[in-house]
PDB file of all heavy atoms in Angstrom:
ATOM      1  N   VAL A  22      88.829 -16.890  64.554  1.00 96.00           N
ATOM      2  CA  VAL A  22      87.792 -17.748  63.997  1.00 96.00           C
ATOM      3  C   VAL A  22      86.599 -17.772  64.939  1.00 96.00           C
ATOM      4  O   VAL A  22      86.761 -18.033  66.141  1.00 96.00           O
ATOM      5  CB  VAL A  22      88.312 -19.182  63.761  1.00 96.00           C
ATOM      6  CG1 VAL A  22      87.178 -20.112  63.347  1.00 96.00           C
ATOM      7  CG2 VAL A  22      89.409 -19.184  62.700  1.00 96.00           C
ATOM      8  N   PHE A  24      83.059 -19.737  65.236  1.00 97.00           N
ATOM      9  CA  PHE A  24      82.416 -20.920  64.658  1.00 97.00           C
ATOM     10  C   PHE A  24      81.141 -21.245  65.422  1.00 97.00           C
ATOM     11  O   PHE A  24      81.120 -21.225  66.658  1.00 97.00           O
ATOM     12  CB  PHE A  24      83.363 -22.122  64.737  1.00 97.00           C
ATOM     13  CG  PHE A  24      82.842 -23.368  64.043  1.00 97.00           C
ATOM     14  CD1 PHE A  24      83.285 -23.708  62.776  1.00 97.00           C
ATOM     15  CD2 PHE A  24      81.904 -24.186  64.651  1.00 97.00           C
ATOM     16  CE1 PHE A  24      82.807 -24.843  62.127  1.00 97.00           C
ATOM     17  CE2 PHE A  24      81.410 -25.317  64.010  1.00 97.00           C
ATOM     18  CZ  PHE A  24      81.866 -25.647  62.751  1.00 97.00           C
ATOM     19  N   GLY A  25      80.070 -21.584  64.685  1.00 97.00           N
ATOM     20  CA  GLY A  25      78.851 -22.015  65.352  1.00 97.00           C
ATOM     21  C   GLY A  25      77.630 -21.815  64.478  1.00 97.00           C
ATOM     22  O   GLY A  25      77.717 -21.702  63.258  1.00 97.00           O
ATOM     23  N   SER A 127      80.511 -22.275  51.751  1.00 95.00           N
ATOM     24  CA  SER A 127      80.845 -23.585  51.196  1.00 95.00           C
ATOM     25  C   SER A 127      81.976 -24.182  52.026  1.00 95.00           C
ATOM     26  O   SER A 127      82.355 -23.639  53.066  1.00 95.00           O
ATOM     27  CB  SER A 127      81.253 -23.474  49.727  1.00 95.00           C
ATOM     28  OG  SER A 127      82.564 -22.966  49.603  1.00 95.00           O
ATOM     29  N   TYR A 128      82.537 -25.279  51.551  1.00 96.00           N
ATOM     30  CA  TYR A 128      83.601 -25.968  52.272  1.00 96.00           C
ATOM     31  C   TYR A 128      84.965 -25.756  51.619  1.00 96.00           C
ATOM     32  O   TYR A 128      85.889 -26.532  51.816  1.00 96.00           O
ATOM     33  CB  TYR A 128      83.286 -27.470  52.341  1.00 96.00           C
ATOM     34  CG  TYR A 128      81.914 -27.781  52.906  1.00 96.00           C
ATOM     35  CD1 TYR A 128      81.078 -28.725  52.307  1.00 96.00           C
ATOM     36  CD2 TYR A 128      81.447 -27.131  54.035  1.00 96.00           C
ATOM     37  CE1 TYR A 128      79.825 -29.009  52.828  1.00 96.00           C
ATOM     38  CE2 TYR A 128      80.194 -27.404  54.565  1.00 96.00           C
ATOM     39  CZ  TYR A 128      79.384 -28.341  53.948  1.00 96.00           C
ATOM     40  OH  TYR A 128      78.135 -28.611  54.470  1.00 96.00           O
ATOM     41  N   GLU A 132      89.687 -19.484  52.839  1.00 94.00           N
ATOM     42  CA  GLU A 132      89.771 -18.453  53.880  1.00 94.00           C
ATOM     43  C   GLU A 132      90.856 -18.716  54.905  1.00 94.00           C
ATOM     44  O   GLU A 132      91.248 -17.819  55.656  1.00 94.00           O
ATOM     45  CB  GLU A 132      88.418 -18.308  54.581  1.00 94.00           C
ATOM     46  CG  GLU A 132      87.982 -19.529  55.384  1.00 94.00           C
ATOM     47  CD  GLU A 132      87.336 -20.621  54.553  1.00 94.00           C
ATOM     48  OE1 GLU A 132      87.126 -20.419  53.342  1.00 94.00           O
ATOM     49  OE2 GLU A 132      87.027 -21.687  55.125  1.00 94.00           O
ATOM     50  N   MET A 133      91.374 -19.928  54.950  1.00 93.00           N
ATOM     51  CA  MET A 133      92.393 -20.281  55.929  1.00 93.00           C
ATOM     52  C   MET A 133      93.823 -20.176  55.388  1.00 93.00           C
ATOM     53  O   MET A 133      94.770 -20.512  56.087  1.00 93.00           O
ATOM     54  CB  MET A 133      92.181 -21.735  56.408  1.00 93.00           C
ATOM     55  CG  MET A 133      91.022 -21.908  57.360  1.00 93.00           C
ATOM     56  SD  MET A 133      91.361 -21.185  58.984  1.00 93.00           S
ATOM     57  CE  MET A 133      90.138 -19.888  59.024  1.00 93.00           C
ATOM     58  N   TYR A 160      82.418 -18.604  60.712  1.00 98.00           N
ATOM     59  CA  TYR A 160      81.761 -19.806  60.205  1.00 98.00           C
ATOM     60  C   TYR A 160      80.382 -19.904  60.844  1.00 98.00           C
ATOM     61  O   TYR A 160      80.261 -20.068  62.058  1.00 98.00           O
ATOM     62  CB  TYR A 160      82.561 -21.055  60.569  1.00 98.00           C
ATOM     63  CG  TYR A 160      83.852 -21.230  59.810  1.00 98.00           C
ATOM     64  CD1 TYR A 160      85.083 -20.992  60.412  1.00 98.00           C
ATOM     65  CD2 TYR A 160      83.847 -21.675  58.488  1.00 98.00           C
ATOM     66  CE1 TYR A 160      86.268 -21.184  59.724  1.00 98.00           C
ATOM     67  CE2 TYR A 160      85.028 -21.870  57.792  1.00 98.00           C
ATOM     68  CZ  TYR A 160      86.239 -21.615  58.410  1.00 98.00           C
ATOM     69  OH  TYR A 160      87.409 -21.812  57.724  1.00 98.00           O
ATOM     70  N   ASP A 161      79.360 -19.799  60.006  1.00 98.00           N
ATOM     71  CA  ASP A 161      77.986 -19.920  60.484  1.00 98.00           C
ATOM     72  C   ASP A 161      77.340 -21.091  59.750  1.00 98.00           C
ATOM     73  O   ASP A 161      77.160 -21.044  58.524  1.00 98.00           O
ATOM     74  CB  ASP A 161      77.209 -18.630  60.220  1.00 98.00           C
ATOM     75  CG  ASP A 161      75.843 -18.608  60.877  1.00 98.00           C
ATOM     76  OD1 ASP A 161      75.304 -19.697  61.181  1.00 98.00           O
ATOM     77  OD2 ASP A 161      75.304 -17.502  61.085  1.00 98.00           O
ATOM     78  N   VAL A 162      77.000 -22.130  60.483  1.00 98.00           N
ATOM     79  CA  VAL A 162      76.388 -23.310  59.869  1.00 98.00           C
ATOM     80  C   VAL A 162      75.136 -22.931  59.089  1.00 98.00           C
ATOM     81  O   VAL A 162      74.832 -23.525  58.049  1.00 98.00           O
ATOM     82  CB  VAL A 162      76.074 -24.374  60.941  1.00 98.00           C
ATOM     83  CG1 VAL A 162      75.353 -25.568  60.326  1.00 98.00           C
ATOM     84  CG2 VAL A 162      77.356 -24.824  61.637  1.00 98.00           C
ATOM     85  N   THR A 165      75.376 -22.491  55.361  1.00 97.00           N
ATOM     86  CA  THR A 165      75.610 -23.668  54.506  1.00 97.00           C
ATOM     87  C   THR A 165      74.356 -24.523  54.338  1.00 97.00           C
ATOM     88  O   THR A 165      74.373 -25.473  53.544  1.00 97.00           O
ATOM     89  CB  THR A 165      76.724 -24.555  55.093  1.00 97.00           C
ATOM     90  OG1 THR A 165      76.268 -25.173  56.309  1.00 97.00           O
ATOM     91  CG2 THR A 165      77.977 -23.748  55.372  1.00 97.00           C
ATOM     92  N   ALA A 180      87.657 -29.959  49.825  1.00 97.00           N
ATOM     93  CA  ALA A 180      88.273 -29.760  51.136  1.00 97.00           C
ATOM     94  C   ALA A 180      89.134 -30.967  51.522  1.00 97.00           C
ATOM     95  O   ALA A 180      90.257 -30.811  52.028  1.00 97.00           O
ATOM     96  CB  ALA A 180      87.193 -29.520  52.186  1.00 97.00           C
ATOM     97  N   LEU A 199      97.524 -34.564  62.241  1.00 97.00           N
ATOM     98  CA  LEU A 199      96.360 -34.895  63.066  1.00 97.00           C
ATOM     99  C   LEU A 199      95.106 -34.194  62.553  1.00 97.00           C
ATOM    100  O   LEU A 199      94.031 -34.789  62.446  1.00 97.00           O
ATOM    101  CB  LEU A 199      96.625 -34.500  64.522  1.00 97.00           C
ATOM    102  CG  LEU A 199      97.596 -35.369  65.312  1.00 97.00           C
ATOM    103  CD1 LEU A 199      97.931 -34.706  66.644  1.00 97.00           C
ATOM    104  CD2 LEU A 199      96.986 -36.748  65.557  1.00 97.00           C
ATOM    105  N   MET A 200      95.246 -32.913  62.242  1.00 97.00           N
ATOM    106  CA  MET A 200      94.101 -32.161  61.716  1.00 97.00           C
ATOM    107  C   MET A 200      93.647 -32.737  60.379  1.00 97.00           C
ATOM    108  O   MET A 200      92.440 -32.827  60.109  1.00 97.00           O
ATOM    109  CB  MET A 200      94.485 -30.692  61.547  1.00 97.00           C
ATOM    110  CG  MET A 200      94.718 -29.942  62.836  1.00 97.00           C
ATOM    111  SD  MET A 200      95.055 -28.191  62.486  1.00 97.00           S
ATOM    112  CE  MET A 200      95.298 -27.569  64.160  1.00 97.00           C
ATOM    113  N   ALA A 201      94.605 -33.120  59.541  1.00 98.00           N
ATOM    114  CA  ALA A 201      94.269 -33.648  58.220  1.00 98.00           C
ATOM    115  C   ALA A 201      93.468 -34.937  58.332  1.00 98.00           C
ATOM    116  O   ALA A 201      92.434 -35.107  57.670  1.00 98.00           O
ATOM    117  CB  ALA A 201      95.548 -33.876  57.414  1.00 98.00           C
ATOM    118  N   GLN A 202      93.924 -35.853  59.167  1.00 98.00           N
ATOM    119  CA  GLN A 202      93.227 -37.126  59.307  1.00 98.00           C
ATOM    120  C   GLN A 202      91.832 -36.923  59.892  1.00 98.00           C
ATOM    121  O   GLN A 202      90.854 -37.544  59.438  1.00 98.00           O
ATOM    122  CB  GLN A 202      94.040 -38.077  60.177  1.00 98.00           C
ATOM    123  CG  GLN A 202      93.527 -39.502  60.155  1.00 98.00           C
ATOM    124  CD  GLN A 202      94.524 -40.489  60.747  1.00 98.00           C
ATOM    125  OE1 GLN A 202      95.661 -40.146  61.062  1.00 98.00           O
ATOM    126  NE2 GLN A 202      94.094 -41.724  60.921  1.00 98.00           N
ATOM    127  N   GLU A 203      91.717 -36.042  60.867  1.00 98.00           N
ATOM    128  CA  GLU A 203      90.413 -35.745  61.455  1.00 98.00           C
ATOM    129  C   GLU A 203      89.495 -35.089  60.430  1.00 98.00           C
ATOM    130  O   GLU A 203      88.305 -35.413  60.342  1.00 98.00           O
ATOM    131  CB  GLU A 203      90.594 -34.818  62.664  1.00 98.00           C
ATOM    132  CG  GLU A 203      89.314 -34.244  63.252  1.00 98.00           C
ATOM    133  CD  GLU A 203      88.522 -35.219  64.103  1.00 98.00           C
ATOM    134  OE1 GLU A 203      88.945 -36.392  64.216  1.00 98.00           O
ATOM    135  OE2 GLU A 203      87.479 -34.821  64.650  1.00 98.00           O
ATOM    136  N   GLY A 204      90.036 -34.152  59.643  1.00 98.00           N
ATOM    137  CA  GLY A 204      89.224 -33.467  58.650  1.00 98.00           C
ATOM    138  C   GLY A 204      88.702 -34.412  57.577  1.00 98.00           C
ATOM    139  O   GLY A 204      87.524 -34.355  57.196  1.00 98.00           O
ATOM    140  N   ILE A 205      89.566 -35.310  57.093  1.00 98.00           N
ATOM    141  CA  ILE A 205      89.150 -36.279  56.074  1.00 98.00           C
ATOM    142  C   ILE A 205      88.034 -37.175  56.610  1.00 98.00           C
ATOM    143  O   ILE A 205      87.000 -37.365  55.965  1.00 98.00           O
ATOM    144  CB  ILE A 205      90.352 -37.136  55.618  1.00 98.00           C
ATOM    145  CG1 ILE A 205      91.373 -36.277  54.866  1.00 98.00           C
ATOM    146  CG2 ILE A 205      89.882 -38.294  54.731  1.00 98.00           C
ATOM    147  CD1 ILE A 205      92.705 -36.981  54.645  1.00 98.00           C
ATOM    148  N   GLY A 206      88.255 -37.722  57.793  1.00 98.00           N
ATOM    149  CA  GLY A 206      87.275 -38.632  58.368  1.00 98.00           C
ATOM    150  C   GLY A 206      85.946 -37.963  58.652  1.00 98.00           C
ATOM    151  O   GLY A 206      84.876 -38.534  58.383  1.00 98.00           O
ATOM    152  N   THR A 207      85.990 -36.743  59.191  1.00 98.00           N
ATOM    153  CA  THR A 207      84.757 -36.038  59.530  1.00 98.00           C
ATOM    154  C   THR A 207      83.941 -35.727  58.277  1.00 98.00           C
ATOM    155  O   THR A 207      82.718 -35.939  58.237  1.00 98.00           O
ATOM    156  CB  THR A 207      85.088 -34.732  60.281  1.00 98.00           C
ATOM    157  OG1 THR A 207      85.810 -35.041  61.474  1.00 98.00           O
ATOM    158  CG2 THR A 207      83.823 -33.988  60.661  1.00 98.00           C
ATOM    159  N   LEU A 208      84.595 -35.244  57.235  1.00 98.00           N
ATOM    160  CA  LEU A 208      83.878 -34.943  56.001  1.00 98.00           C
ATOM    161  C   LEU A 208      83.362 -36.209  55.321  1.00 98.00           C
ATOM    162  O   LEU A 208      82.231 -36.237  54.813  1.00 98.00           O
ATOM    163  CB  LEU A 208      84.790 -34.175  55.045  1.00 98.00           C
ATOM    164  CG  LEU A 208      84.843 -32.658  55.277  1.00 98.00           C
ATOM    165  CD1 LEU A 208      86.056 -32.049  54.606  1.00 98.00           C
ATOM    166  CD2 LEU A 208      83.569 -31.983  54.783  1.00 98.00           C
ATOM    167  N   ARG A 210      82.376 -38.892  56.611  1.00 98.00           N
ATOM    168  CA  ARG A 210      81.184 -39.388  57.312  1.00 98.00           C
ATOM    169  C   ARG A 210      79.990 -38.464  57.125  1.00 98.00           C
ATOM    170  O   ARG A 210      78.841 -38.911  57.049  1.00 98.00           O
ATOM    171  CB  ARG A 210      81.495 -39.551  58.803  1.00 98.00           C
ATOM    172  CG  ARG A 210      82.461 -40.685  59.124  1.00 98.00           C
ATOM    173  CD  ARG A 210      82.580 -40.904  60.623  1.00 98.00           C
ATOM    174  NE  ARG A 210      83.175 -39.761  61.309  1.00 98.00           N
ATOM    175  CZ  ARG A 210      84.485 -39.594  61.510  1.00 98.00           C
ATOM    176  NH1 ARG A 210      85.344 -40.493  61.039  1.00 98.00           N
ATOM    177  NH2 ARG A 210      84.939 -38.535  62.155  1.00 98.00           N
ATOM    178  N   ALA A 211      80.246 -37.142  57.049  1.00 98.00           N
ATOM    179  CA  ALA A 211      79.140 -36.181  56.992  1.00 98.00           C
ATOM    180  C   ALA A 211      78.533 -36.047  55.603  1.00 98.00           C
ATOM    181  O   ALA A 211      77.310 -35.873  55.469  1.00 98.00           O
ATOM    182  CB  ALA A 211      79.628 -34.810  57.473  1.00 98.00           C
ATOM    183  N   ILE A 215      74.550 -35.606  54.312  1.00 98.00           N
ATOM    184  CA  ILE A 215      74.071 -34.352  53.723  1.00 98.00           C
ATOM    185  C   ILE A 215      73.414 -34.591  52.372  1.00 98.00           C
ATOM    186  O   ILE A 215      72.368 -34.009  52.055  1.00 98.00           O
ATOM    187  CB  ILE A 215      75.245 -33.358  53.598  1.00 98.00           C
ATOM    188  CG1 ILE A 215      75.670 -32.864  54.983  1.00 98.00           C
ATOM    189  CG2 ILE A 215      74.874 -32.176  52.701  1.00 98.00           C
ATOM    190  CD1 ILE A 215      76.954 -32.067  54.984  1.00 98.00           C
ATOM    191  N   ARG A 222      71.194 -30.766  60.324  1.00 98.00           N
ATOM    192  CA  ARG A 222      72.053 -29.720  60.889  1.00 98.00           C
ATOM    193  C   ARG A 222      73.306 -30.295  61.540  1.00 98.00           C
ATOM    194  O   ARG A 222      74.378 -29.685  61.477  1.00 98.00           O
ATOM    195  CB  ARG A 222      71.260 -28.878  61.892  1.00 98.00           C
ATOM    196  CG  ARG A 222      72.030 -27.662  62.402  1.00 98.00           C
ATOM    197  CD  ARG A 222      71.135 -26.754  63.227  1.00 98.00           C
ATOM    198  NE  ARG A 222      70.094 -26.142  62.404  1.00 98.00           N
ATOM    199  CZ  ARG A 222      70.278 -25.031  61.698  1.00 98.00           C
ATOM    200  NH1 ARG A 222      71.454 -24.423  61.704  1.00 98.00           N
ATOM    201  NH2 ARG A 222      69.288 -24.517  60.994  1.00 98.00           N
ATOM    202  N   ALA A 223      73.199 -31.453  62.165  1.00 98.00           N
ATOM    203  CA  ALA A 223      74.375 -32.049  62.802  1.00 98.00           C
ATOM    204  C   ALA A 223      75.432 -32.402  61.755  1.00 98.00           C
ATOM    205  O   ALA A 223      76.632 -32.155  61.942  1.00 98.00           O
ATOM    206  CB  ALA A 223      73.977 -33.294  63.588  1.00 98.00           C
ATOM    207  N   ALA A 224      74.984 -32.975  60.625  1.00 98.00           N
ATOM    208  CA  ALA A 224      75.932 -33.315  59.560  1.00 98.00           C
ATOM    209  C   ALA A 224      76.517 -32.053  58.938  1.00 98.00           C
ATOM    210  O   ALA A 224      77.714 -32.007  58.609  1.00 98.00           O
ATOM    211  CB  ALA A 224      75.237 -34.158  58.493  1.00 98.00           C
ATOM    212  N   ARG A 225      75.707 -31.034  58.763  1.00 98.00           N
ATOM    213  CA  ARG A 225      76.205 -29.763  58.235  1.00 98.00           C
ATOM    214  C   ARG A 225      77.258 -29.158  59.171  1.00 98.00           C
ATOM    215  O   ARG A 225      78.272 -28.611  58.716  1.00 98.00           O
ATOM    216  CB  ARG A 225      75.053 -28.772  58.060  1.00 98.00           C
ATOM    217  CG  ARG A 225      74.092 -29.101  56.937  1.00 98.00           C
ATOM    218  CD  ARG A 225      74.700 -28.807  55.588  1.00 98.00           C
ATOM    219  NE  ARG A 225      73.729 -28.932  54.505  1.00 98.00           N
ATOM    220  CZ  ARG A 225      74.027 -28.778  53.219  1.00 98.00           C
ATOM    221  NH1 ARG A 225      75.274 -28.502  52.858  1.00 98.00           N
ATOM    222  NH2 ARG A 225      73.107 -28.921  52.288  1.00 98.00           N
ATOM    223  N   THR A 226      77.023 -29.248  60.467  1.00 98.00           N
ATOM    224  CA  THR A 226      77.993 -28.733  61.434  1.00 98.00           C
ATOM    225  C   THR A 226      79.297 -29.510  61.351  1.00 98.00           C
ATOM    226  O   THR A 226      80.390 -28.926  61.340  1.00 98.00           O
ATOM    227  CB  THR A 226      77.412 -28.813  62.858  1.00 98.00           C
ATOM    228  OG1 THR A 226      76.196 -28.061  62.917  1.00 98.00           O
ATOM    229  CG2 THR A 226      78.389 -28.259  63.881  1.00 98.00           C
ATOM    230  N   ASP A 227      79.199 -30.839  61.288  1.00 98.00           N
ATOM    231  CA  ASP A 227      80.399 -31.668  61.174  1.00 98.00           C
ATOM    232  C   ASP A 227      81.175 -31.346  59.895  1.00 98.00           C
ATOM    233  O   ASP A 227      82.408 -31.263  59.899  1.00 98.00           O
ATOM    234  CB  ASP A 227      80.025 -33.154  61.191  1.00 98.00           C
ATOM    235  CG  ASP A 227      79.595 -33.641  62.561  1.00 98.00           C
ATOM    236  OD1 ASP A 227      79.838 -32.920  63.551  1.00 98.00           O
ATOM    237  OD2 ASP A 227      79.015 -34.739  62.645  1.00 98.00           O
ATOM    238  N   ALA A 228      80.442 -31.190  58.786  1.00 98.00           N
ATOM    239  CA  ALA A 228      81.108 -30.921  57.512  1.00 98.00           C
ATOM    240  C   ALA A 228      81.839 -29.582  57.538  1.00 98.00           C
ATOM    241  O   ALA A 228      82.963 -29.468  57.034  1.00 98.00           O
ATOM    242  CB  ALA A 228      80.093 -30.949  56.369  1.00 98.00           C
ATOM    243  N   LEU A 229      81.217 -28.560  58.134  1.00 98.00           N
ATOM    244  CA  LEU A 229      81.868 -27.253  58.196  1.00 98.00           C
ATOM    245  C   LEU A 229      83.090 -27.311  59.111  1.00 98.00           C
ATOM    246  O   LEU A 229      84.128 -26.703  58.809  1.00 98.00           O
ATOM    247  CB  LEU A 229      80.873 -26.196  58.686  1.00 98.00           C
ATOM    248  CG  LEU A 229      81.324 -24.739  58.566  1.00 98.00           C
ATOM    249  CD1 LEU A 229      81.662 -24.383  57.113  1.00 98.00           C
ATOM    250  CD2 LEU A 229      80.262 -23.798  59.111  1.00 98.00           C
ATOM    251  N   TYR A 230      82.980 -28.054  60.204  1.00 98.00           N
ATOM    252  CA  TYR A 230      84.136 -28.261  61.087  1.00 98.00           C
ATOM    253  C   TYR A 230      85.258 -28.979  60.337  1.00 98.00           C
ATOM    254  O   TYR A 230      86.432 -28.571  60.388  1.00 98.00           O
ATOM    255  CB  TYR A 230      83.694 -29.072  62.305  1.00 98.00           C
ATOM    256  CG  TYR A 230      84.824 -29.674  63.117  1.00 98.00           C
ATOM    257  CD1 TYR A 230      85.684 -28.879  63.867  1.00 98.00           C
ATOM    258  CD2 TYR A 230      85.012 -31.057  63.137  1.00 98.00           C
ATOM    259  CE1 TYR A 230      86.713 -29.441  64.608  1.00 98.00           C
ATOM    260  CE2 TYR A 230      86.030 -31.628  63.883  1.00 98.00           C
ATOM    261  CZ  TYR A 230      86.880 -30.813  64.614  1.00 98.00           C
ATOM    262  OH  TYR A 230      87.903 -31.375  65.345  1.00 98.00           O
ATOM    263  N   GLY A 231      84.915 -30.042  59.609  1.00 98.00           N
ATOM    264  CA  GLY A 231      85.924 -30.760  58.841  1.00 98.00           C
ATOM    265  C   GLY A 231      86.559 -29.887  57.786  1.00 98.00           C
ATOM    266  O   GLY A 231      87.778 -29.946  57.551  1.00 98.00           O
ATOM    267  N   ALA A 232      85.747 -29.064  57.118  1.00 97.00           N
ATOM    268  CA  ALA A 232      86.280 -28.169  56.096  1.00 97.00           C
ATOM    269  C   ALA A 232      87.238 -27.151  56.697  1.00 97.00           C
ATOM    270  O   ALA A 232      88.251 -26.791  56.085  1.00 97.00           O
ATOM    271  CB  ALA A 232      85.132 -27.466  55.384  1.00 97.00           C
ATOM    272  N   TRP A 233      86.914 -26.652  57.888  1.00 97.00           N
ATOM    273  CA  TRP A 233      87.822 -25.725  58.573  1.00 97.00           C
ATOM    274  C   TRP A 233      89.160 -26.398  58.843  1.00 97.00           C
ATOM    275  O   TRP A 233      90.226 -25.820  58.568  1.00 97.00           O
ATOM    276  CB  TRP A 233      87.184 -25.244  59.882  1.00 97.00           C
ATOM    277  CG  TRP A 233      88.116 -24.482  60.769  1.00 97.00           C
ATOM    278  CD1 TRP A 233      88.850 -23.371  60.432  1.00 97.00           C
ATOM    279  CD2 TRP A 233      88.438 -24.774  62.134  1.00 97.00           C
ATOM    280  NE1 TRP A 233      89.606 -22.950  61.504  1.00 97.00           N
ATOM    281  CE2 TRP A 233      89.368 -23.795  62.562  1.00 97.00           C
ATOM    282  CE3 TRP A 233      88.025 -25.750  63.029  1.00 97.00           C
ATOM    283  CZ2 TRP A 233      89.893 -23.779  63.847  1.00 97.00           C
ATOM    284  CZ3 TRP A 233      88.542 -25.738  64.310  1.00 97.00           C
ATOM    285  CH2 TRP A 233      89.463 -24.766  64.704  1.00 97.00           C
ATOM    286  N   LEU A 234      89.140 -27.627  59.357  1.00 97.00           N
ATOM    287  CA  LEU A 234      90.393 -28.342  59.604  1.00 97.00           C
ATOM    288  C   LEU A 234      91.191 -28.524  58.315  1.00 97.00           C
ATOM    289  O   LEU A 234      92.408 -28.310  58.284  1.00 97.00           O
ATOM    290  CB  LEU A 234      90.097 -29.709  60.219  1.00 97.00           C
ATOM    291  CG  LEU A 234      89.539 -29.734  61.638  1.00 97.00           C
ATOM    292  CD1 LEU A 234      89.197 -31.166  62.035  1.00 97.00           C
ATOM    293  CD2 LEU A 234      90.539 -29.135  62.622  1.00 97.00           C
ATOM    294  N   CYS A 235      90.516 -28.910  57.241  1.00 97.00           N
ATOM    295  CA  CYS A 235      91.208 -29.115  55.970  1.00 97.00           C
ATOM    296  C   CYS A 235      91.764 -27.797  55.431  1.00 97.00           C
ATOM    297  O   CYS A 235      92.840 -27.771  54.826  1.00 97.00           O
ATOM    298  CB  CYS A 235      90.267 -29.742  54.949  1.00 97.00           C
ATOM    299  SG  CYS A 235      89.768 -31.439  55.365  1.00 97.00           S
ATOM    300  N   GLY A 236      91.035 -26.708  55.646  1.00 95.00           N
ATOM    301  CA  GLY A 236      91.528 -25.402  55.232  1.00 95.00           C
ATOM    302  C   GLY A 236      92.780 -25.003  55.979  1.00 95.00           C
ATOM    303  O   GLY A 236      93.704 -24.415  55.400  1.00 95.00           O
ATOM    304  N   ILE A 237      92.825 -25.307  57.277  1.00 95.00           N
ATOM    305  CA  ILE A 237      94.043 -25.038  58.049  1.00 95.00           C
ATOM    306  C   ILE A 237      95.221 -25.790  57.437  1.00 95.00           C
ATOM    307  O   ILE A 237      96.326 -25.248  57.308  1.00 95.00           O
ATOM    308  CB  ILE A 237      93.846 -25.447  59.518  1.00 95.00           C
ATOM    309  CG1 ILE A 237      92.828 -24.535  60.196  1.00 95.00           C
ATOM    310  CG2 ILE A 237      95.174 -25.384  60.280  1.00 95.00           C
ATOM    311  CD1 ILE A 237      92.455 -24.973  61.601  1.00 95.00           C
ATOM    312  N   CYS A 238      94.992 -27.039  57.042  1.00 95.00           N
ATOM    313  CA  CYS A 238      96.061 -27.828  56.418  1.00 95.00           C
ATOM    314  C   CYS A 238      96.558 -27.148  55.152  1.00 95.00           C
ATOM    315  O   CYS A 238      97.765 -27.050  54.907  1.00 95.00           O
ATOM    316  CB  CYS A 238      95.548 -29.226  56.076  1.00 95.00           C
ATOM    317  SG  CYS A 238      95.069 -30.216  57.505  1.00 95.00           S
TER     318      CYS A 238
END
Side-chain angles (χ1 to χ4, degrees):
V22 173
F24 186 100
S127 76
Y128 307 135
E132 66 278 355
M133 285 289 115
Y160 288 106
D161 189 338
V162 176
T165 69
L199 287 170
M200 292 184 180
Q202 191 166 353
E203 171 77 358
I205 293 168
T207 301
L208 276 162
R210 291 187 295 271
I215 289 170
R222 187 172 293 275
R225 289 286 188 183
T226 302
D227 287 346
L229 191 58
Y230 165 69
W233 170 55
L234 291 175
C235 293
I237 292 173
C238 296

